[in-house]
Amino acid sequence: MRTAPTILHLDMDAFFASAEQASKPSLRGKAVVVGGLGPRGVVATASYEARVFGVNSAMPMAQARRRAPNAAYLVPRFGLYREVSEQVMGLLGALSPLVEPLSLDEAFVDLEAGGTAWDDASARLAGAKLRADIRAVTGLTGSVGLAASKMLAKIASEQAKPDGLVVIEPGTERALLGPMSVRTLPGVGPATGDHLRRAGITTVEELAEAGEDELVRLLGKAHGHALFAMALAHDERPVVAERETKSVSVEDTYDVDIHDRVRVGLEVARLADRCVRRLRGAGLSGRTIVLKVRRYDFSTLTRSETLRGPTDDPGVVREAAARLLEGVDTTGGIRLLGVGVSGLADYTQEDLFAQAQAAAEGESAAEEHPADESAEGAAAEQERPAERRWPSGHDVSHAEYGHGWVQGSGLGRVTVRFETPYSEPGRVRTFRTDDPQLEPADPLPLVERRPEDAGPGPLASEAGALGSPDPGRPQTSSVPAIRPKSRSGGGGGDATSRP
């Protein structure tokens, strides 16, 4: 156990919802819910204003609408969130080479490994500077926890929410943890918590008093030993800079159960292609193809097939997924489908048989559809314009009114609010969904950049400069020319946790 609080845990405050509020002046200070908007959608993130009404992450969207009918419900913009996350991770990388991202909005940092902190005072200073830099670069807020272990740093960041900093001083851990619920500890979910409650154990102190032998009897050897150590505030897990990717997968949940076997097969093929694109984007290949099927009754089946060598060939993955589907009964209806690849490698063993088969299929298709017929079919396809979709919350640009975002669409109409992250709340106008002057647009930076900060792409990261400072210049926080006028999250502050 370390003798100084040099493990930092950062958790961005209501990340997706806060990014939407910073992007849309008319939503600042109001309830915002981000997630899937279909009948089976779930909440990805709710703003603190929405949480007042009992809306939380992973809640069914239908339930969220009942609790907060007047909230703004938006489709996620993962491209924006990834760009902002890269900015934040760049700031963390400037603190230490040991950064362990857990998700887009959460990470551990070993400050001691970066020489950034070595005692309570220096750790507190590093945490305060990080919060200021995040606000300056992204316009958002993050909560920071500092402690001598990963478990305690995460607990500290939870106490700091929203927009605060909490330091757990070494020597105070047992007294701090004692009265907390057992659910506070990692690995104690609803089922384990309920099992412990029936045994009369509800707090961490009662967990420690029960003793290691009793916990092993109740929970099994591995879980019992681990939980007893955590109850004593022992956590020796190091911050790991890179995690090895074990699998690549994609999945879709359908608003209405799919009953048609042909449609199921087409969906599996489409998911296989998406999975391969993601696989190739990561420069990987894999040898085990996995099919996931959730049926109408919520039962979930997983089937897998291991190839002779790793592949990133879409034809091979499609064929394997189709073979796996043949052994699954889909007659009652399908709620969810997923295709994944595991057993990953950074090389590919070419599947010559699959390539030959694909070539043969291509020749056969050419014989069945002569070139002139194919050209006619392509021309006819081009004559039918694709239906334009306008997801709620996504960016658009109008030739006359400029940049805005979709408030809603339906019945051949789309409603747009025209505003930017740096403007006053904008006006709302309605257009036909096929209006030629209205086009999808890229997100704007949440913080307006100065001309000298301009770079390629709409969200070029100032954090990159902070990650590679000029040796001849002192490191300082990057201060934007203009900040959003208001931000989500309460006015937190620095705190020290003592018994």
Side-chain angles (χ1 to χ4, degrees), residues 125-283:
L125 183 64
K129 181 180 182 299
L130 174 64
R131 291 178 58 227
D133 284 347
I134 289 173
R135 182 185 289 269
V137 171
T138 70
L140 305 180
T141 64
S143 297
V144 170
L146 289 156
S149 70
K150 290 168 70 171
M151 178 187 75
L152 293 165
K154 183 171 176 61
I155 290 173
S157 70
E158 287 294 324
Q159 291 185 324
K161 281 186 168 295
D163 189 21
L165 182 150
V166 166
V167 180
I168 298 180
E169 297 178 347
T172 68
E173 298 94 345
R174 290 285 303 277
L176 172 74
L177 285 176
M180 291 184 175
S181 166
V182 293
R183 292 288 305 277
T184 305
L185 300 180
V188 182
T192 302
D194 190 56
H195 190 54
L196 291 170
R197 181 187 57 78
R198 289 197 297 270
I201 301 172
T202 58
T203 67
V204 176
E205 184 177 11
E206 291 169 345
L207 203 62
E209 291 175 350
E212 189 169 17
D213 292 342
E214 176 65 9
L215 294 181
V216 168
R217 186 186 69 80
L218 288 171
L219 305 172
K221 188 173 182 180
H223 203 180
H225 285 312
L227 212 52
F228 182 70
M230 287 189 287
L232 299 179
H234 295 162
D235 180 17
E236 301 297 332
R237 294 174 300 159
V239 176
V240 181
E242 293 186 7
R243 292 176 177 270
E244 182 182 357
T245 302
K246 295 183 178 179
S247 65
V248 174
S249 63
V250 297
E251 62 181 42
D252 276 344
T253 301
Y254 303 99
D255 293 342
V256 178
D257 290 348
I258 302 175
H259 293 82
D260 181 34
R261 183 77 179 187
V262 175
R263 166 82 188 283
V264 173
L266 292 173
E267 288 294 318
V268 168
R270 183 179 61 82
L271 289 167
D273 288 342
R274 276 176 53 196
C275 183
V276 168
R277 286 198 297 271
R278 183 173 294 183
L279 193 70
R280 288 180 168 179

Side-chain angles (χ1 to χ4, degrees), residues 269-320:
R270 183 179 61 82
L271 289 167
D273 288 342
R274 276 176 53 196
C275 183
V276 168
R277 286 198 297 271
R278 183 173 294 183
L279 193 70
R280 288 180 168 179
L284 298 170
S285 60
R287 59 183 299 164
T288 300
I289 314 303
V290 181
L291 175 69
K292 178 180 176 182
V293 179
R294 180 167 297 150
R295 298 188 293 192
Y296 68 98
D297 58 357
F298 287 91
S299 61
T300 302
L301 304 176
T302 303
R303 300 288 185 267
S304 64
E305 176 182 318
T306 299
L307 309 174
R308 286 178 295 177
T311 184
D312 65 353
D313 187 305
V316 174
V317 176
R318 280 197 302 268
E319 291 168 9

Side-chain angles (χ1 to χ4, degrees), residues 19-28 74 77 393-394 405 419 421:
E20 297 296 346
Q21 289 176 316
S23 178
K24 302 170 172 63
S26 58
L27 296 185
R28 293 173 190 165
L74 307 176
R77 295 186 294 163
H394 282 223
W405 58 277
E419 60 186 8

Side-chain angles (χ1 to χ4, degrees), residues 39-96:
R40 291 178 180 164
V42 297
V43 176
T45 309
S47 70
Y48 287 100
E49 295 85 355
R51 295 179 192 188
V52 172
F53 299 98
V55 179
N56 296 299
S57 300
M59 174 182 289
M61 191 61 76
Q63 183 180 358
R65 288 185 184 276
R66 289 194 295 270
R67 294 190 177 188
N70 297 320
Y73 289 87
L74 307 176
V75 175
R77 295 186 294 163
F78 289 109
L80 170 66
Y81 309 148
R82 277 192 290 269
E83 293 282 359
V84 176
S85 176
E86 288 173 6
Q87 292 179 308
V88 173
M89 296 304 165
L91 294 173
L92 298 181
L95 292 175
S96 172

Side-chain angles (χ1 to χ4, degrees), residues 328-341:
V328 178
D329 180 11
T330 63
T331 54
I334 300 299
R335 300 175 59 89
L336 176 148
L337 288 169
V339 174
V341 178

